[in-house]
Amino acid sequence: FWFLISFSHFFVVEISESMAHKSWIIVFLFGLMMVAMLWPASRRRQRLDKASISKRLRLQEVGSEGQPVHRSRIAYLMLFPEEEYPLARCLDNSMAGYYLRRGSETKRFLIFLEGGGWCYDQSCTPTEAGTIADCKSRSATELGSSKNWGRHQEDWWLTGIMSSDYASNPVFYNWTTILVPYCDGASFTGNSSKGGLQFRGSMILEALIADLKKKTDISEAVEVVVAGRSAGASAVYYHIDKMAAMLSRPKGTVKGIADAGFFLNSLNKDGIDCWPDQMMSLWSTAGLYKDLHQPCLQKFGAGQEWKCLFAEFFAESIETPMFIVNSMYDTSELTYTLGLACCPGRCHFGTPHCNAVDKSMFDHLRTGHEKAWAPVAHKPGNGIWAISCMDHTLTWEHWTSPKWEVPSGSKTTAAVAVAKWLAGEDVHIQDAVPFPENRGCSDHNLVS
């Protein structure tokens, strides 16, 4: 390359002086120089691109601030092969799958079940036709189809408990991480079809464990945490024991973390079982009850299977160690279960102040949670971190936030609490004050 440049320079300077009238020679030689320069540059660029990809994927022992970092910040999509897992499908019949990010901790796994509500008739008097119609609408979205899932997910999306950054996620940053997108509409439950829709949540979980056994070291894992948020947290309550059995690891190796999945069976402000009836409509329409927590189904029997939709009725019987992360005032329950559209204070967005009746329901949500989750939270080996501020899901946005601590100012974030629990400590942390007296996180809800 440099020989060509030097030769061309000599030719242009020395020869062209004697042939100045031959200007076309100079143009020709200038073109030759450009080809000589660009061709190896393009080859070098190809080599650099390959090198940069390898560098991104190569294990880094320390980061820019001396902290350990994960070798890749990218989780890649693994759709289930149809020939191996023919029933592991989303609502619209597309193949389900998961995102995998390999960590330097090759024998520690975080499996995260994504949330996103459920499909059911939006009326408080739900019908089978209305439920099927809502599920069909859902099947055209990313919550019911894998057709538009991205090929990978990066840290700008995988935040909090899923982050590969030590400062943002000191607990799981270097674990091998699996994000399971939610596309069955029923908290990863069922193996049926109805109205042209596939309700195959149970098949998705079975395919997940089988595929991870083939492609990772999960069969030799020393620790597996199955976590989830919202509908994914409900799935943790429903399926953690079954998933632990499928993993076939020694007792205590598998643990569960449920973020905002302790939905109470409550009447709304009009005295109607609105949201519970909507949930029952989905499970009845698609024939999903048989795939819920088996000890619960055995306990309550025919006619009362619906109780196994609500953790308050069965979570105590879960054998896998469990950790609850929840708001005392879960905004999903405030809105969709209780039907409240008010705030006990000067809230953002002009939300009206609660009247006395609504304020009583707001307060009761806190005490109702404390009573309902006490048996599971205080079961040996289990733990809890519950905060007195309004939000729904806490392990992503608020995982290490200094404003979201219990008690306020204690530095005990959800991440700190979970880390202590995983280390074997007895962790039962619940805000002792009502809303809005945790001043750190209440700023999230109130106008200053």
Side-chain angles (χ1 to χ4, degrees):
F1 167 71
W2 289 111
F3 171 78
L4 284 173
I5 294 297
S6 301
F7 175 78
S8 299
H9 179 269
F10 168 81
F11 197 91
V12 169
V13 173
E14 303 297 331
I15 304 300
S16 64
E17 285 182 355
S18 63
M19 302 181 64
H21 63 286
K22 304 279 188 179
S23 60
W24 62 270
I25 294 179
I26 297 175
V27 173
F28 169 76
L29 292 174
F30 180 77
L32 181 64
M33 286 174 59
M34 294 303 296
V35 170
M37 292 174 66
L38 292 176
W39 178 76
S42 66
R43 295 299 299 270
R44 288 199 309 275
R45 189 179 304 114
Q46 291 176 7
R47 290 196 296 270
L48 286 171
D49 286 345
K50 291 179 180 178
S52 64
I53 292 171
S54 297
K55 183 177 180 180
R56 284 200 301 270
L57 296 177
R58 193 167 58 242
L59 178 63
Q60 305 279 322
E61 292 301 332
V62 292
S64 59
E65 298 180 2
Q67 298 289 2
V69 297
H70 182 267
R71 65 177 176 180
S72 173
R73 293 179 182 269
I74 302 174
Y76 292 95
L77 178 62
M78 307 285 186
L79 289 177
F80 296 124
E82 185 174 10
E83 63 276 11
E84 295 182 53
Y85 313 106
L87 296 178
R89 297 179 181 273
C90 301
L91 282 170
D92 72 336
N93 203 43
S94 59
M95 297 307 298
Y98 59 95
Y99 289 91
L100 172 64
R101 185 181 67 210
R102 298 180 185 275
S104 57
E105 287 282 3
T106 60
K107 294 187 179 180
R108 282 187 165 82
F109 289 78
L110 172 65
I111 299 173
F112 197 92
L113 306 179
E114 184 59 289
W118 304 265
C119 56
Y120 43 60
D121 191 333
Q122 299 299 308
S123 166
C124 287
T125 54
T127 64
E128 180 175 306
T131 292
I132 290 296
D134 193 64
C135 291
K136 282 188 176 179
S137 295
R138 186 185 181 97
S139 71
T141 73
E142 291 186 359
L143 288 171
S145 172
S146 65
K147 291 178 180 177
N148 293 316
W149 290 356
R151 292 185 177 182
H152 64 270
Q153 297 285 2
E154 299 187 48
D155 251 16
W156 69 267
W157 170 247
L158 299 177
T159 60
I161 194 173
M162 296 291 292
S163 176
S164 64
D165 177 66
Y166 177 85
S168 301
N169 184 24
V171 187
F172 299 109
Y173 73 97
N174 60 347
W175 287 34
T176 295
T177 301
I178 298 98
L179 173 66
V180 190
Y182 178 36
C183 69
D184 70 285
S187 289
F188 299 91
T189 306
N191 182 22
S192 66
S193 60
K194 182 82 174 185
L197 298 167
Q198 302 295 319
F199 296 93
R200 306 289 185 181
S202 293
M203 297 296 97
I204 292 172
L205 291 185
E206 288 186 15
L208 172 70
I209 301 303
D211 210 51
L212 288 175
K213 285 182 174 180
K214 291 180 180 179
K215 296 175 179 176
T216 72
D217 292 331
I218 201 166
S219 293
E220 301 173 7
V222 297
E223 202 162 15
V224 179
V225 170
V226 179
R229 62 174 177 172
S230 191
S234 292
V236 175
Y237 288 120
Y238 298 159
H239 308 306
I240 184 65
D241 280 350
K242 179 172 66 177
M243 294 180 73
M246 287 190 287
L247 286 165
S248 303
R249 301 304 300 140
K251 187 174 182 179
T253 302
V254 182
K255 299 178 176 69
I257 300 175
D259 173 15
F262 212 99
F263 298 98
L264 299 179
N265 174 38
S266 301
L267 302 176
N268 68 10
K269 65 178 182 177
D270 299 317
I272 299 172
D273 258 330
C274 185
W275 179 74
D277 283 350
Q278 291 169 335
M279 289 288 282
M280 292 179 221
S281 173
L282 170 59
W283 261 259
S284 297
T285 295
L288 308 176
Y289 281 120
K290 64 182 182 298
D291 289 318
L292 291 174
H293 187 60
Q294 292 302 306
C296 179
L297 294 173
Q298 295 165 11
K299 176 181 178 180
F300 291 107
Q304 294 192 85
E305 303 98 332
W306 62 268
K307 288 187 175 180
C308 302
L309 291 171
F310 307 99
E312 62 186 290
F313 294 114
F314 71 88
E316 185 182 5
S317 65
I318 296 173
E319 295 183 0
T320 306
M322 285 289 300
F323 194 90
I324 298 171
V325 176
N326 228 97
S327 168
M328 301 280 199
Y329 307 96
D330 189 301
T331 51
S332 178
E333 292 181 273
L334 289 170
T335 303
Y336 298 106
T337 305
L338 302 182
L340 297 179
C342 66
C343 175
R346 296 183 302 115
C347 290
H348 295 288
F349 311 118
T351 307
H353 193 79
C354 293
N355 60 35
V357 174
D358 290 350
K359 176 63 164 59
S360 176
M361 294 189 71
F362 181 92
D363 293 339
H364 181 71
L365 184 59
R366 168 193 169 86
T367 56
H369 274 141
E370 289 177 317
K371 180 179 179 181
W373 63 42
V376 59
H378 293 283
K379 184 176 179 179
N382 289 356
I384 185 170
W385 183 90
I387 196 165
S388 285
C389 280
M390 294 186 291
D391 211 339
H392 181 59
T393 77
L394 305 167
T395 58
W396 283 49
E397 182 180 357
H398 308 306
W399 180 234
T400 55
S401 171
K403 290 188 174 182
W404 289 72
E405 299 171 345
V406 182
S408 180
S410 67
K411 301 188 182 302
T412 306
T413 61
V416 168
V418 167
K420 289 181 177 180
W421 176 67
L422 290 175
E425 293 187 31
D426 188 27
V427 181
H428 299 94
I429 301 170
Q430 301 185 64
D431 237 337
V433 297
F435 180 85
E437 293 183 26
N438 184 319
R439 294 299 177 182
C441 60
S442 63
D443 289 344
H444 173 81
N445 305 119
L446 298 178
V447 177
S448 59

